[in-house]
Amino acid sequence: RERFLTAEETQRLRDALETSENTQLRYIVPLLLLSGARKRELLDAKWEHFDLERRSWRIPTSKTGKARHVPLSGAMLSVLSQVPRWPGCSYVVPNEKTKLPYVSIFCSWNTARKAAGLPEVRMHDLRHSMASNMVNSGRSIYEVAKVLGHTQLKTSQRYSHLSNETLLAAVDASANAAGTNWGPTQTAKAGDNLALVEA
């Protein structure tokens, strides 16, 4: 099941995060949404894995067992610049109490998604939403595969229908920009079409 957040839903979720008792959640959720990373990849991430100047995040061990690199958007860098740091703690978004990676953040996430009116949205849907946003912005399935770390292109094909919707919207926008209604003209006579066919 693929569930994609709309822009309006994303804003509602952001508002809900601001009132969460888990203050780290306000960084975790946008970092997942902006990077397309898996939850565990982010929760275990260390600052040493990030090259902010080159705008790259090296995930040492991904689901495939191999290291991969995630490009960092300007928005991602902005969120990272707001993340609090603690002396002697190398983790990016640790549990504030233990300064170690969270074992689970389900309770705080569940509270936030319900407050946003999105009780069915899973944390993994943030990854799907990132892919959806890329495709709907005109990016290729190949680019989605590279960013999400899919080893096989067919894994990314689930988003191909989104690209078709984007193309349809593009040709509709082009037709609208032409400024002419290509529907039947009011002056056309009933027999005109028949005459054209016979010709």
Side-chain angles (χ1 to χ4, degrees), residues 10-171:
T10 301
Q11 185 59 52
R12 275 162 42 198
L13 183 57
R14 180 178 182 176
D15 293 341
L17 294 174
E18 292 302 313
T19 60
S20 174
E21 292 183 2
N22 180 352
T23 56
Q24 289 290 72
L25 201 64
R26 71 186 60 175
Y27 308 112
I28 292 172
V29 171
L31 288 175
L32 289 173
L33 181 62
L34 294 169
S35 68
R38 298 176 180 89
K39 177 180 63 178
R40 198 70 255 167
E41 291 174 338
L42 177 63
L43 296 183
D44 292 336
K46 296 183 177 181
W47 285 111
E48 64 197 59
H49 301 151
F50 287 80
D51 187 335
L52 300 182
E53 285 191 10
R54 295 186 178 180
R55 296 174 57 173
S56 179
W57 169 18
R58 181 180 182 275
I59 298 176
T61 306
S62 63
K63 187 178 179 180
T64 63
K66 299 179 181 179
R68 70 185 183 93
H69 291 82
V70 177
L72 306 178
S73 65
M76 179 93 171
L77 292 175
S78 178
V79 175
L80 285 171
S81 70
Q82 301 170 52
V83 173
R85 300 197 190 197
W86 290 273
C89 178
S90 61
Y91 294 102
V92 178
V93 284
N95 182 317
E96 287 187 85
K97 296 178 181 178
T98 65
K99 305 301 185 290
L100 294 172
Y102 284 99
V103 175
S104 173
I105 53 174
F106 178 77
C107 288
S108 56
W109 163 252
N110 193 39
T111 299
R113 66 179 180 175
K114 286 181 178 178
L118 303 166
E120 79 290 354
V121 172
R122 304 165 302 167
M123 190 154 274
H124 195 69
D125 291 329
L126 300 174
R127 180 172 163 87
H128 293 312
S129 296
M130 197 274 189
S132 169
N133 291 338
M134 284 184 66
V135 174
N136 285 331
S137 298
R139 312 317 301 186
S140 70
I141 296 299
Y142 175 76
E143 290 170 307
V144 171
K146 291 291 288 183
V147 171
L148 295 189
H150 292 156
T151 55
Q152 296 183 337
L153 198 59
K154 67 179 183 181
T155 309
S156 308
Q157 290 296 330
R158 71 183 77 174
Y159 305 109
S160 61
H161 69 285
L162 295 170
S163 59
N164 187 53
E165 290 176 9
T166 301
L167 292 175
L168 289 173
V171 295

